[in-house]
Amino acid sequence: MPQMPKRVKFRKVQRGRVRGVASRGNTVAFGEYGLQVLEGGWLSAEALEAGRVTVAQFMRGEGRLYIRVFPHKSITSIPAETRMGKGKGEPEYWAAVIKPGMILFEVGGLPEQSARDCLARVAYKMPFRCRFVKRQAS
Protein backbone atom coordinates (compact mmCIF):
# COMPACT_ATOMS: atom_id res chain seq x y z
CA MET A 1 0.00 0.00 0.00
CA PRO A 2 1.40 3.43 -0.93
CA GLN A 3 2.57 5.78 1.79
CA MET A 4 0.48 8.76 2.86
CA PRO A 5 0.21 10.97 5.94
CA LYS A 6 -1.89 9.64 8.85
CA ARG A 7 -3.64 12.99 9.14
CA VAL A 8 -3.21 16.48 7.71
CA LYS A 9 -4.35 19.91 8.80
CA PHE A 10 -5.67 20.78 5.33
CA ARG A 11 -6.93 18.23 2.77
CA LYS A 12 -6.06 20.27 -0.30
CA VAL A 13 -2.84 22.18 -0.94
CA GLN A 14 -1.82 24.65 -3.63
CA ARG A 15 0.31 23.43 -6.49
CA GLY A 16 3.36 25.60 -5.95
CA ARG A 17 6.42 25.16 -8.14
CA VAL A 18 9.76 23.43 -7.80
CA ARG A 19 12.61 25.93 -8.01
CA GLY A 20 16.33 25.62 -7.34
CA VAL A 21 18.34 22.62 -6.20
CA ALA A 22 18.11 20.68 -2.95
CA SER A 23 20.18 22.11 -0.12
CA ARG A 24 19.02 19.40 2.32
CA GLY A 25 18.72 15.68 1.73
CA ASN A 26 21.32 15.81 -1.02
CA THR A 27 24.04 13.58 0.49
CA VAL A 28 24.14 9.90 1.37
CA ALA A 29 23.60 9.90 5.14
CA PHE A 30 22.40 6.47 6.29
CA GLY A 31 23.50 3.81 3.80
CA GLU A 32 26.64 3.43 1.68
CA TYR A 33 25.14 4.04 -1.77
CA GLY A 34 22.25 6.21 -2.94
CA LEU A 35 20.03 7.13 -5.86
CA GLN A 36 20.19 10.87 -6.59
CA VAL A 37 17.59 12.71 -8.67
CA LEU A 38 18.78 15.02 -11.46
CA GLU A 39 15.41 16.67 -12.20
CA GLY A 40 12.68 18.25 -10.11
CA GLY A 41 8.97 17.50 -9.90
CA TRP A 42 6.44 15.40 -8.03
CA LEU A 43 7.03 11.76 -7.18
CA SER A 44 3.77 9.89 -6.60
CA ALA A 45 3.40 7.56 -3.64
CA GLU A 46 2.70 4.73 -6.12
CA ALA A 47 6.05 5.27 -7.88
CA LEU A 48 7.81 5.39 -4.50
CA GLU A 49 6.16 2.11 -3.51
CA ALA A 50 7.16 0.53 -6.84
CA GLY A 51 10.78 1.44 -6.09
CA ARG A 52 10.54 0.03 -2.57
CA VAL A 53 9.10 -3.28 -3.84
CA THR A 54 11.83 -3.52 -6.50
CA VAL A 55 14.59 -3.09 -3.90
CA ALA A 56 12.94 -5.57 -1.53
CA GLN A 57 12.74 -8.21 -4.26
CA PHE A 58 16.33 -7.63 -5.34
CA MET A 59 17.93 -7.65 -1.88
CA ARG A 60 15.89 -10.59 -0.50
CA GLY A 61 16.58 -9.73 3.14
CA GLU A 62 20.28 -8.94 2.87
CA GLY A 63 21.30 -5.33 3.26
CA ARG A 64 19.19 -2.40 4.41
CA LEU A 65 17.00 0.07 2.52
CA TYR A 66 16.46 3.70 3.52
CA ILE A 67 13.73 5.79 1.86
CA ARG A 68 14.64 9.47 2.17
CA VAL A 69 11.44 11.11 0.86
CA PHE A 70 7.80 11.04 1.98
CA PRO A 71 4.64 11.98 0.02
CA HIS A 72 3.20 14.91 2.01
CA LYS A 73 1.44 16.71 -0.85
CA SER A 74 -2.12 15.83 -1.91
CA ILE A 75 -2.68 16.15 -5.65
CA THR A 76 -6.25 16.94 -6.68
CA SER A 77 -8.07 16.61 -9.98
CA ILE A 78 -11.57 17.22 -11.27
CA PRO A 79 -13.47 14.82 -13.54
CA ALA A 80 -13.11 15.18 -17.32
CA GLU A 81 -15.67 17.39 -19.12
CA THR A 82 -16.54 19.34 -15.97
CA ARG A 83 -17.48 22.98 -16.51
CA MET A 84 -15.49 25.78 -14.95
CA GLY A 85 -16.43 27.23 -11.57
CA LYS A 86 -17.33 24.11 -9.62
CA GLY A 87 -14.43 24.39 -7.19
CA LYS A 88 -11.24 22.46 -6.66
CA GLY A 89 -11.27 18.70 -7.27
CA GLU A 90 -10.94 15.94 -4.73
CA PRO A 91 -7.53 14.55 -3.69
CA GLU A 92 -6.50 11.84 -6.18
CA TYR A 93 -3.11 10.75 -4.85
CA TRP A 94 -0.21 11.80 -2.63
CA ALA A 95 3.15 12.98 -3.90
CA ALA A 96 6.58 13.95 -2.62
CA VAL A 97 8.01 17.26 -3.84
CA ILE A 98 11.41 16.47 -5.36
CA LYS A 99 14.16 19.00 -6.04
CA PRO A 100 17.18 18.22 -8.23
CA GLY A 101 19.97 16.69 -6.15
CA MET A 102 17.77 14.93 -3.57
CA ILE A 103 18.59 11.38 -2.51
CA LEU A 104 15.52 9.13 -2.95
CA PHE A 105 16.80 5.74 -1.80
CA GLU A 106 19.87 4.55 0.05
CA VAL A 107 21.13 1.00 0.48
CA GLY A 108 23.69 -0.41 2.87
CA GLY A 109 25.22 -3.81 3.52
CA LEU A 110 25.63 -4.73 -0.17
CA PRO A 111 28.71 -4.94 -2.40
CA GLU A 112 29.02 -1.97 -4.75
CA GLN A 113 28.15 -3.90 -7.92
CA SER A 114 25.01 -5.35 -6.32
CA ALA A 115 24.01 -1.89 -5.10
CA ARG A 116 24.52 -0.50 -8.63
CA ASP A 117 22.32 -3.21 -10.13
CA CYS A 118 19.68 -2.73 -7.44
CA LEU A 119 19.47 1.06 -7.77
CA ALA A 120 19.56 0.85 -11.59
CA ARG A 121 16.36 -1.19 -11.44
CA VAL A 122 14.80 1.39 -9.15
CA ALA A 123 15.94 4.27 -11.39
CA TYR A 124 14.11 2.63 -14.30
CA LYS A 125 10.84 2.91 -12.34
CA MET A 126 11.32 6.58 -11.44
CA PRO A 127 9.82 9.39 -13.57
CA PHE A 128 13.09 11.39 -13.33
CA ARG A 129 16.66 10.91 -14.48
CA CYS A 130 18.72 9.53 -11.58
CA ARG A 131 22.33 8.68 -10.85
CA PHE A 132 24.18 6.34 -8.52
CA VAL A 133 26.16 8.06 -5.75
CA LYS A 134 28.49 6.80 -3.02
CA ARG A 135 28.84 8.02 0.53
CA GLN A 136 31.53 10.69 0.88
CA ALA A 137 34.34 9.92 3.35
CA SER A 138 33.89 12.25 6.30
Side-chain angles (χ1 to χ4, degrees):
M1 186 168 170
Q3 293 181 323
M4 65 178 70
K6 285 193 179 93
R7 56 191 296 272
V8 289
K9 191 168 184 179
F10 300 106
R11 287 174 52 232
K12 301 175 185 180
V13 296
Q14 293 186 340
R15 290 175 64 90
R17 56 184 180 174
V18 180
R19 299 177 66 190
V21 295
S23 58
R24 293 181 295 187
N26 58 1
T27 58
V28 180
F30 301 101
E32 296 153 27
Y33 308 104
L35 190 67
Q36 188 175 41
V37 176
L38 300 176
E39 302 168 352
W42 295 339
L43 179 63
S44 71
E46 288 79 12
L48 197 61
E49 178 68 7
R52 187 196 66 76
V53 168
T54 303
V55 173
Q57 288 175 346
F58 183 89
M59 293 204 305
R60 290 203 181 95
E62 66 177 75
R64 177 107 160 74
L65 169 69
Y66 303 91
I67 302 174
R68 296 285 305 275
V69 293
F70 186 83
H72 289 288
K73 188 181 189 75
S74 64
I75 307 300
T76 61
S77 69
I78 54 174
E81 300 181 10
T82 302
R83 290 192 177 191
M84 299 289 284
K86 298 291 186 236
K88 190 167 181 170
E90 294 305 310
E92 286 288 312
Y93 64 96
W94 292 87
V97 178
I98 304 297
K99 284 188 167 189
M102 285 181 88
I103 303 291
L104 294 184
F105 296 94
E106 292 182 18
V107 293
L110 289 177
E112 182 176 344
Q113 193 54 48
S114 292
R116 276 187 189 276
D117 294 344
C118 178
L119 292 176
R121 291 184 186 199
V122 177
Y124 184 77
K125 305 257 182 190
M126 295 297 116
F128 313 108
R129 288 186 303 119
C130 302
R131 71 177 177 189
F132 179 85
V133 290
K134 296 181 195 177
R135 186 184 196 122
Q136 297 294 323
S138 54

